[in-house]
Amino acid sequence: GENVEQHPSTLSVQEGDSAVIKCTYSDSASNYFPWYKQELGKRPQLIIDIRSNVGEKKDQRIAVTLNKTAKHFSLHITETQPEDSAVYFCAASIDFGNEKLTFGTGTRLTIIP
Amino acid sequence: NAGVTQTPKFQVLKTGQSMTLQCAQDMNHNSMYWYRQDPGMGLRLIYYSASEGTTDKGEVPNGYNVSRLNKREFSLRLESAAPSQTSVYFCASSERLSGNTIYFGEGSWLTVV
């Protein structure tokens, strides 16, 4: 089955700086890559996703890039703000049912004021 | 529109006790899921129900049973709780196909002593 590795496990950045979280996946058939954000004590929520026919997708201060050849994708957060502090999970799945979605182990991002 | 609601939010069990986690969604989704979240291990799928009337094992089903009571409700039962089942449990729902957003409940914090 799919294996998703996520790095780093913890990340601290100064407010206003950029943050980058990277994930690699093992199954070359995977073609859907969402990112979820989980604030402390809250539920995970989708923040952005990308399909394999697209190399980059942006939504305001967040962007995701995908390198299919290398089988890795990254989340980029620019101009970080205190409310960006959370755990971020990447995930990958093949074009089938959502039960095939495999999550990474998470990155705890801390924004230092 | 409450989304996905699950109960209880917190529970302490003694080893060997049984309990059922309840989950309901009001988004008319066909698929529902139970995940567990442990430190450093991300979200792992316990069981899922692709549609009303069906249930299937996920990545970590041992020690659990599920019931898809109707389209709205999907319960998770621990028949004989073990300390290894101490975790945060998330119910979720979505339309089945990969690429559809998975909506999570608020989580249930379970401690087995």
Side-chain angles (χ1 to χ4, degrees):
Chain A
E2 175 68 280
N3 182 48
V4 177
E5 295 189 355
Q6 183 172 348
H7 299 282
S9 57
T10 61
L11 179 62
S12 296
V13 301
Q14 211 67 38
E15 182 177 353
D17 288 348
S18 296
V20 180
I21 303 169
K22 299 179 180 179
C23 290
T24 60
Y25 60 98
S26 61
D27 190 342
S28 57
S30 289
N31 62 359
Y32 175 62
F33 308 93
W35 286 87
Y36 283 79
K37 175 183 180 182
Q38 185 180 25
E39 297 177 0
L40 187 63
K42 301 290 181 65
R43 72 187 82 194
Q45 291 187 297
L46 179 72
I47 56 171
I48 195 168
D49 57 11
I50 192 169
R51 286 206 170 271
S52 60
N53 58 348
V54 175
E56 182 176 5
K57 184 176 180 180
K58 289 183 179 180
D59 182 3
Q60 299 182 343
R61 293 186 299 107
I62 61 173
V64 57
T65 58
L66 171 65
N67 183 324
K68 287 172 54 181
T69 302
K71 291 191 284 187
H72 67 71
F73 57 111
S74 300
L75 177 71
H76 304 254
I77 306 174
T78 60
E79 301 173 10
T80 53
Q81 300 170 4
E83 54 264 37
D84 295 329
S85 292
V87 178
Y88 292 81
F89 292 98
C90 63
S93 76
I94 61 173
D95 193 10
F96 189 67
N98 262 337
E99 68 272 10
K100 296 297 185 184
L101 194 66
T102 300
F103 287 88
T105 51
T107 296
R108 180 173 299 280
L109 175 63
T110 302
I111 307 303
I112 305 166
Chain B
N1 190 335
V4 180
T5 57
Q6 57 181 105
T7 58
K9 193 169 179 71
F10 299 98
Q11 184 73 49
V12 178
L13 283 179
K14 293 182 179 179
T15 298
Q17 285 186 320
S18 62
M19 77 160 296
T20 300
L21 300 175
Q22 307 285 355
C23 175
Q25 52 95 7
D26 62 4
M27 295 175 282
N28 202 36
H29 287 153
N30 286 303
S31 298
M32 297 186 73
Y33 317 86
W34 277 104
Y35 291 90
R36 61 177 288 173
Q37 183 177 32
D38 302 292
M41 301 194 74
L43 292 154
R44 293 183 293 167
L45 184 64
I46 304 170
Y47 269 93
Y48 69 97
S49 171
S51 60
E52 185 179 356
T54 69
T55 60
D56 281 290
K57 295 177 180 180
E59 180 185 354
V60 288
N62 291 345
Y64 306 95
N65 284 300
V66 291
S67 295
R68 183 75 182 266
L69 305 171
N70 48 56
K71 190 171 186 179
R72 290 186 63 248
E73 299 173 285
F74 186 40
S75 63
L76 178 72
R77 182 163 179 83
L78 287 70
E79 290 290 352
S80 179
S84 61
Q85 294 178 304
T86 294
S87 188
V88 182
Y89 292 86
F90 286 96
C91 178
S93 73
S94 76
E95 289 307 330
R96 187 179 183 196
L97 284 179
S98 170
N100 283 290
T101 300
I102 296 177
Y103 295 89
F104 288 87
E106 291 187 319
S108 297
W109 275 253
L110 176 65
T111 301
V112 183
V113 298

